[in-house]
Amino acid sequence: MKKEGKVPKYIWLPIILALYFICMMIIFVPDLLKQREYTRVAVVTGVEIIVIFLVYIFYKKRAGK
């Protein structure tokens, strides 16, 4: 029997990754933008969003939903 209130991994893991990403952006992006590293910021942002999305899809399929 499943426990009531248990949050599935395909929900909490992408949320943790997104929070980590947001914290890293707050810390590092201002310095990168001052150095005119616009491409680096855009590439890292895009890759991180893709990774979060793929983790969500992978664990949702694995959970069978």
Side-chain angles (χ1 to χ4, degrees), residues 2 7 13 17-18 27 30 32 41-42 49 54 56-57 60-61:
K2 276 189 162 182
V7 180
L13 189 58
L17 288 173
I27 293 169
L32 289 172
V41 172
I49 290 170
L54 291 175
Y56 172 77
I57 297 294
K60 189 163 184 175
K61 274 190 173 184

Side-chain angles (χ1 to χ4, degrees), residues 2 5 12 19-20 22 25-26 29 34 43 50 54 56:
K2 276 189 162 182
W12 64 261
L19 290 174
Y20 173 77
I22 291 167
M25 292 296 280
I26 290 170
V29 165
K34 284 179 188 173
V43 169
I50 290 169
L54 291 175
Y56 172 77

Side-chain angles (χ1 to χ4, degrees), residues 41-55:
V41 172
V43 169
V44 169
T45 301
V47 168
E48 188 69 28
I49 290 170
I50 290 169
V51 167
I52 291 170
F53 182 71
L54 291 175
V55 165

